[in-house]
Amino acid sequence: MMGELQELGRAVKQAQYRQHRALDTALSTVGTTLAQWDALRAIGRAPGASARELAAATFQSEQAFGALVGRLTAQGVVERRPGHGRRIEHHLTPAGEGILAAADKIADEVLATCFAALPAADRATLLDLLRRLNAEEAGRTGRVSRPD
């Protein structure tokens, strides 16, 4: 049983690794990376969110997210604005919205290729199983898992 679980864990990691490499390569054509696109998506989904919220949404430490958003701000695609109290809010600039839209199209194409071997019903089943697994883990640890 343990060998089978290890094989399952490795297969999930291998699929993720292949997907991430394909996304990173394809996203470079619009001048962004997987990590940057993920940050832009998180900000686009939650305009005005804090760095702490966005770090959690992108599976990064606050320090790593801060460094990443600093680069995105320097590129002119993210804007930091004062919020309530010491809170700093994050927003996409028009340039950031443009990159996000282009990157979303590329990601859709890459992910369609990554999952092409699975019929739609199998993809739906896989998504359901992973959602259940992530919900179970979140329930056990008290940590909220990101829905995407």
Side-chain angles (χ1 to χ4, degrees), residues 11-42:
V12 169
K13 183 69 175 176
Q14 184 178 16
Q16 178 189 32
Y17 178 76
R18 244 187 9 262
Q19 175 187 309
H20 283 192
R21 288 192 43 108
L23 281 167
D24 224 14
T25 298
L27 290 169
S28 70
T29 64
V30 291
T32 196
T33 66
L34 176 58
Q36 291 171 344
W37 171 62
D38 199 30
L40 294 175
R41 278 191 317 160

Side-chain angles (χ1 to χ4, degrees), residues 29-93:
T29 64
V30 291
T32 196
T33 66
L34 176 58
Q36 291 171 344
W37 171 62
D38 199 30
L40 294 175
R41 278 191 317 160
I43 295 167
R45 289 179 178 162
S50 70
R52 174 175 285 171
E53 294 162 336
L54 294 167
T58 57
F59 302 107
Q60 296 187 46
S61 68
E62 287 181 54
Q63 182 179 8
F65 185 81
L68 175 60
V69 83
R71 290 190 300 276
L72 293 172
T73 300
Q75 293 172 12
V77 296
V78 171
E79 197 174 69
R80 291 175 170 166
R81 300 179 195 159
H84 183 66
R86 293 177 28 194
R87 180 184 175 99
I88 301 295
E89 297 180 348
H90 297 79
H91 298 270
L92 297 178
T93 65

